[in-house]
Amino acid sequence: MANAVQDFLQIIRVTFEPGYLTPRSLLVSGAALALLIRLVFKRPRPRYISNLDKVGRRVSSNTTARDEKWQYDIIIVGGGTSGCTLASRLSEDPNIRVLLLEAGGSGRALSDSRTPIGYGALFFSKYVYPFRTEPQAAANGKEKFWPRAKMLGGCSSINAQMAQYGAPGDFDQWASYAGDKSWAWSNFFRYFTKFEKFNPHPDYPLVDATVRGNSGPVNVGYFNTVTSASKAFVKACVEVNIPFTHDFNGPNGTLGVSRTVTYVDKKYRRVSSETAYLTPEVLARKNLTVAVNATVTRVLFETSEAGVPRAVGVEFANSDGSPRYQVRAKKEVIISGGAIHSPHILSLSGIGPAAHLQKHGIQVIKDLSGVGQNLVDHPVVDMYFKDKLNNSAKYLRPKSFLDRVKLTSAIVQYHILRIGGPLAMNFGESAAFIRSDDPHIFPSQIFPEKLLDSTSAKDSPDLELFCTPFAYKEHGRVFFDVDTFALHVYLLRPTSTGAVLLKSSNPWQLPSVNPNYLSTEEDVKKLVRGVRLCLQIARTKPLAPLLDHEFTRADLDHELHLKSDAELEALIRERVETVYHPTTTCRMGPNPENGDVVDSRLRVYGVEGLRVCDASIFPFIVSGHTAGACYAIAEKLADDMKAEYGSA
């Protein structure tokens, strides 16, 4: 209902602005009313529980969490990309009673989440945690905005829907580091095909569908709308010696340029872990409970017979000052809060660096030095160009009557005619994955310096380039006043790392986040090469004729290619931002003394009954986009746990 009203009001806003009441607006509003009626009466009602009295025991009540009513076999903390996957897969066994606790509400219920182009509008809303980093010492001391989703689906509900999974070498490196061959690409690959339902497209017949998943819950394909400039970007990349690839996730590996496969279904809707895994059929299971608006404040422990701490439940609440609730886990607690919230919850619960916990008055359950450490993120740099044809989608934030007409048309195409159109754009339409030491792209006579190889394998990339149909600043908060096009480069294998740390023992105070961007010279030098390449591509046919290189206004980058490396380095330090891929703060590995937090079965070292499953466990960040690996690790863990409990 809320989603339908939101769609209706959006159309009314753009058609009934003062001075724009016309017969066309009356016609469109009538169509909008029809849309409202259709959506209200056809909308499924998810089985989510917001009344926490129905989920757990109030801490102040006379009952006990040991009562059967408040006990579950497995408690999953966080309904993000991995959490929803786990809840769905584990509850396939009717003998396993599963509770999923999510701090936010439904992403499926938000129009800006379901509509591919709308997610940026959520960044500055109540549906996203408004993180800001610590001042970045190597990036002009700026605090950077770091949005993290607060809703079911997690960041799969607010990402750019680019379905690229990393490089095969990434997972071989994971297996080597963890000492467990089950994580090697040859073995782990099956979990990508398990979650995936690849939809072949007649325009891309050379994609080998036989190596892609065809029956998983997560639809991927070519249903997003792409612009002509995006297609020109692909051809321009080929002209500068980046090979064309048919499939970033295919048997030939990641390197090359292509249109991006997306998490967008054939009805032009976003596919998130919520929509894929928490279907009406799954939610109807009697052994699955999904509670929303339930923030976990700590994990509860008891001492086992062997004298080892054991996770026996969690405490949670709706908000600061509201009643606290407790539930118990007969088998295990799984933390799936993501790279920021998982180490935060562990720390609040007494799992982390002892001195840091004691500083905040938290009783130490287990001294694990790696909790919150090794934070790594993909740093991105944006470049802005004038669209020579004045054909961008800047009308999505309308400033004139013509803009409003175009936006109304886009809304009608998407919601009423259901043909996709501009609202089915995902922003990251095409991409290129390259190596910064590729002599065909960076010839030694121009780029003589040998850079540190931080890649996972000889055929793994360390830079990604991508294009967007218009430029923006401050994560979409600021648009340009002219039609634009943008190119972006980000570092896939940064050597700079940081940390997530407590600010206090108050669970409602967000933790400190410090990615420590650009703290190594290697990271800066590779990004300089990436910026140089983007500027070359912008001046290469067939993309060059689409950009107005005579438009030399200072806030656009048509003269940036004339700058020295030192000037580009200064620009990189000024512009660097997150591309929303933090990982590795609860690292999987063989040695807790070396900063590893979980073993290769994702069990937290030194305690029983507690695991972590999300991007925080990545031993090394993947050479691409993180959502696919988050789905795959959850699929693997669900299989492992069902095998342990005899229900595989």
Short mmCIF file of all heavy atoms in Angstrom, two decimals, residues 79 95 101 112 115 119 132 204 207 242 248 254 280 284 303 330-331 346-347 351 504 508 520 528 532 553 600 624 636:
data_model
loop_
_atom_site.label_atom_id
_atom_site.label_comp_id
_atom_site.label_asym_id
_atom_site.label_seq_id
_atom_site.Cartn_x
_atom_site.Cartn_y
_atom_site.Cartn_z
N GLY A 79 19.21 -9.07 8.24
CA GLY A 79 18.53 -9.57 7.05
C GLY A 79 19.06 -8.96 5.78
O GLY A 79 18.30 -8.50 4.93
N ASN A 95 12.65 -29.14 10.30
CA ASN A 95 13.05 -29.45 11.67
C ASN A 95 13.97 -28.40 12.27
O ASN A 95 14.36 -28.52 13.43
CB ASN A 95 13.75 -30.82 11.71
CG ASN A 95 12.82 -31.95 11.31
OD1 ASN A 95 11.69 -32.01 11.78
ND2 ASN A 95 13.28 -32.81 10.42
N LEU A 101 16.37 -11.66 12.46
CA LEU A 101 16.15 -10.35 13.08
C LEU A 101 16.76 -9.28 12.20
O LEU A 101 17.97 -9.30 11.92
CB LEU A 101 16.79 -10.31 14.47
CG LEU A 101 16.21 -11.24 15.52
CD1 LEU A 101 17.11 -11.29 16.75
CD2 LEU A 101 14.80 -10.81 15.91
N ASP A 112 11.51 3.24 -4.35
CA ASP A 112 12.85 3.64 -4.77
C ASP A 112 13.84 2.49 -4.71
O ASP A 112 14.90 2.57 -5.32
CB ASP A 112 13.35 4.80 -3.90
CG ASP A 112 12.72 6.13 -4.28
OD1 ASP A 112 12.39 6.30 -5.47
OD2 ASP A 112 12.54 6.99 -3.40
N THR A 115 12.52 0.06 -8.00
CA THR A 115 12.77 0.67 -9.30
C THR A 115 14.27 0.80 -9.50
O THR A 115 14.95 1.43 -8.69
CB THR A 115 12.11 2.05 -9.38
OG1 THR A 115 10.74 1.93 -9.01
CG2 THR A 115 12.22 2.63 -10.78
N TYR A 119 17.43 3.96 -6.36
CA TYR A 119 18.07 3.67 -5.08
C TYR A 119 18.83 4.84 -4.48
O TYR A 119 18.96 4.96 -3.26
CB TYR A 119 19.00 2.47 -5.22
CG TYR A 119 20.13 2.65 -6.21
CD1 TYR A 119 21.38 3.09 -5.80
CD2 TYR A 119 19.95 2.36 -7.56
CE1 TYR A 119 22.41 3.25 -6.70
CE2 TYR A 119 20.96 2.51 -8.47
CZ TYR A 119 22.20 2.96 -8.05
OH TYR A 119 23.22 3.12 -8.96
N ARG A 132 29.48 8.35 8.48
CA ARG A 132 30.54 9.19 7.92
C ARG A 132 31.85 8.65 8.47
O ARG A 132 31.95 8.30 9.64
CB ARG A 132 30.36 10.66 8.27
CG ARG A 132 29.06 11.26 7.70
CD ARG A 132 29.13 12.78 7.66
NE ARG A 132 29.93 13.24 6.56
CZ ARG A 132 29.49 13.41 5.30
NH1 ARG A 132 28.24 13.13 5.00
NH2 ARG A 132 30.30 13.84 4.37
N TYR A 204 22.64 -10.96 -26.99
CA TYR A 204 23.93 -11.41 -26.47
C TYR A 204 24.04 -12.94 -26.58
O TYR A 204 24.16 -13.65 -25.59
CB TYR A 204 24.10 -10.95 -25.02
CG TYR A 204 23.99 -9.46 -24.89
CD1 TYR A 204 22.76 -8.85 -24.63
CD2 TYR A 204 25.10 -8.63 -25.07
CE1 TYR A 204 22.64 -7.47 -24.55
CE2 TYR A 204 24.99 -7.25 -24.99
CZ TYR A 204 23.75 -6.68 -24.73
OH TYR A 204 23.64 -5.31 -24.66
N VAL A 207 27.03 -15.35 -24.95
CA VAL A 207 27.17 -15.70 -23.53
C VAL A 207 26.87 -17.19 -23.38
O VAL A 207 25.84 -17.68 -23.82
CB VAL A 207 26.21 -14.87 -22.66
CG1 VAL A 207 26.31 -15.32 -21.21
CG2 VAL A 207 26.53 -13.39 -22.77
N ILE A 242 41.47 -2.49 -24.73
CA ILE A 242 40.79 -3.33 -23.73
C ILE A 242 39.95 -4.35 -24.49
O ILE A 242 39.06 -3.98 -25.26
CB ILE A 242 39.90 -2.48 -22.81
CG1 ILE A 242 40.72 -1.42 -22.07
CG2 ILE A 242 39.17 -3.38 -21.80
CD1 ILE A 242 39.89 -0.45 -21.25
N PHE A 248 31.55 -11.24 -18.03
CA PHE A 248 32.49 -11.06 -16.92
C PHE A 248 32.53 -12.26 -15.99
O PHE A 248 33.50 -12.47 -15.27
CB PHE A 248 32.11 -9.82 -16.09
CG PHE A 248 32.26 -8.52 -16.81
CD1 PHE A 248 31.23 -7.60 -16.82
CD2 PHE A 248 33.44 -8.20 -17.45
CE1 PHE A 248 31.36 -6.37 -17.46
CE2 PHE A 248 33.59 -6.97 -18.10
CZ PHE A 248 32.55 -6.06 -18.10
N THR A 254 37.52 -12.52 -15.89
CA THR A 254 36.89 -11.22 -15.68
C THR A 254 37.39 -10.13 -16.63
O THR A 254 36.67 -9.19 -16.93
CB THR A 254 37.16 -10.78 -14.22
OG1 THR A 254 36.63 -11.76 -13.35
CG2 THR A 254 36.52 -9.45 -13.90
N PRO A 280 6.72 -15.26 -0.87
CA PRO A 280 5.54 -15.64 -0.08
C PRO A 280 5.56 -17.11 0.34
O PRO A 280 5.13 -17.45 1.46
CB PRO A 280 4.38 -15.32 -1.02
CG PRO A 280 4.89 -14.21 -1.88
CD PRO A 280 6.33 -14.51 -2.09
N ALA A 284 5.76 -18.39 4.28
CA ALA A 284 4.65 -19.19 4.80
C ALA A 284 5.12 -20.38 5.64
O ALA A 284 4.31 -21.05 6.28
CB ALA A 284 3.78 -19.69 3.65
N THR A 303 28.72 -20.27 29.84
CA THR A 303 29.94 -21.07 29.79
C THR A 303 29.58 -22.53 29.62
O THR A 303 28.75 -23.08 30.36
CB THR A 303 30.76 -20.88 31.08
OG1 THR A 303 31.06 -19.50 31.24
CG2 THR A 303 32.07 -21.67 31.01
N LYS A 330 19.01 -22.70 20.35
CA LYS A 330 19.36 -24.06 20.77
C LYS A 330 20.63 -24.55 20.09
O LYS A 330 21.39 -25.33 20.67
CB LYS A 330 18.21 -25.01 20.45
CG LYS A 330 16.94 -24.78 21.24
CD LYS A 330 15.88 -25.80 20.84
CE LYS A 330 14.60 -25.63 21.62
NZ LYS A 330 13.57 -26.61 21.21
N LYS A 331 20.83 -24.11 18.85
CA LYS A 331 21.99 -24.59 18.10
C LYS A 331 23.04 -23.48 17.90
O LYS A 331 24.14 -23.58 18.42
CB LYS A 331 21.55 -25.15 16.74
CG LYS A 331 20.61 -26.35 16.84
CD LYS A 331 20.28 -26.91 15.47
CE LYS A 331 19.26 -28.04 15.53
NZ LYS A 331 19.73 -29.22 16.28
N LEU A 346 29.77 -7.91 17.56
CA LEU A 346 30.72 -8.74 18.28
C LEU A 346 31.39 -7.96 19.40
O LEU A 346 31.53 -8.44 20.53
CB LEU A 346 31.77 -9.31 17.33
CG LEU A 346 31.32 -10.39 16.35
CD1 LEU A 346 32.47 -10.80 15.44
CD2 LEU A 346 30.77 -11.61 17.07
N SER A 347 31.81 -6.74 19.10
CA SER A 347 32.48 -5.92 20.11
C SER A 347 31.55 -5.59 21.27
O SER A 347 31.94 -5.69 22.45
CB SER A 347 33.01 -4.63 19.47
OG SER A 347 33.99 -4.90 18.48
N ILE A 351 33.39 -9.67 22.27
CA ILE A 351 34.31 -10.40 21.38
C ILE A 351 35.10 -9.37 20.59
O ILE A 351 34.54 -8.65 19.75
CB ILE A 351 33.54 -11.30 20.39
CG1 ILE A 351 32.54 -12.19 21.12
CG2 ILE A 351 34.52 -12.11 19.56
CD1 ILE A 351 33.11 -13.36 21.81
N SER A 504 31.49 3.93 21.78
CA SER A 504 31.06 3.76 23.17
C SER A 504 30.43 2.39 23.29
O SER A 504 30.28 1.65 22.31
CB SER A 504 30.05 4.85 23.56
OG SER A 504 28.77 4.57 23.04
N TRP A 508 23.38 1.96 20.40
CA TRP A 508 22.68 2.84 19.47
C TRP A 508 23.59 3.92 18.90
O TRP A 508 23.17 4.67 18.02
CB TRP A 508 21.47 3.46 20.16
CG TRP A 508 20.58 2.39 20.73
CD1 TRP A 508 20.54 1.94 22.01
CD2 TRP A 508 19.67 1.57 20.00
NE1 TRP A 508 19.65 0.91 22.13
CE2 TRP A 508 19.10 0.65 20.91
CE3 TRP A 508 19.26 1.52 18.66
CZ2 TRP A 508 18.16 -0.29 20.53
CZ3 TRP A 508 18.31 0.58 18.27
CH2 TRP A 508 17.77 -0.32 19.21
N THR A 520 48.57 4.28 1.10
CA THR A 520 49.79 3.79 0.45
C THR A 520 49.95 4.47 -0.90
O THR A 520 48.96 4.75 -1.60
CB THR A 520 49.75 2.26 0.24
OG1 THR A 520 48.74 1.94 -0.73
CG2 THR A 520 49.44 1.54 1.55
N VAL A 528 45.91 7.00 -10.53
CA VAL A 528 46.36 7.97 -11.53
C VAL A 528 46.32 7.33 -12.91
O VAL A 528 45.84 7.93 -13.88
CB VAL A 528 47.76 8.50 -11.20
CG1 VAL A 528 48.34 9.27 -12.40
CG2 VAL A 528 47.73 9.41 -9.98
N ARG A 532 43.93 8.51 -16.03
CA ARG A 532 44.49 8.78 -17.36
C ARG A 532 43.77 7.98 -18.44
O ARG A 532 43.45 8.49 -19.52
CB ARG A 532 45.97 8.42 -17.38
CG ARG A 532 46.88 9.39 -16.67
CD ARG A 532 47.50 10.37 -17.65
NE ARG A 532 48.37 11.29 -16.94
CZ ARG A 532 48.25 12.59 -17.00
NH1 ARG A 532 47.29 13.16 -17.72
NH2 ARG A 532 49.10 13.36 -16.36
N ARG A 553 34.12 24.47 -18.94
CA ARG A 553 33.80 25.03 -17.64
C ARG A 553 34.58 24.30 -16.55
O ARG A 553 34.78 23.08 -16.62
CB ARG A 553 32.29 24.90 -17.40
CG ARG A 553 31.74 25.91 -16.40
CD ARG A 553 30.22 25.87 -16.40
NE ARG A 553 29.68 24.68 -15.75
CZ ARG A 553 28.39 24.39 -15.66
NH1 ARG A 553 27.50 25.21 -16.22
NH2 ARG A 553 27.98 23.31 -15.05
N SER A 600 37.40 -21.61 8.57
CA SER A 600 36.89 -21.79 7.20
C SER A 600 35.45 -22.27 7.17
O SER A 600 34.84 -22.32 6.09
CB SER A 600 37.78 -22.78 6.44
OG SER A 600 37.74 -24.06 7.02
N GLY A 624 35.93 -7.04 -7.88
CA GLY A 624 34.69 -6.69 -8.55
C GLY A 624 33.64 -6.30 -7.55
O GLY A 624 33.91 -5.56 -6.60
N LYS A 636 26.80 -21.58 0.68
CA LYS A 636 27.75 -22.59 1.14
C LYS A 636 27.55 -22.89 2.62
O LYS A 636 27.52 -24.06 3.04
CB LYS A 636 29.18 -22.12 0.88
CG LYS A 636 30.26 -23.13 1.28
CD LYS A 636 31.64 -22.61 0.97
CE LYS A 636 32.72 -23.65 1.20
NZ LYS A 636 32.80 -24.12 2.60
#
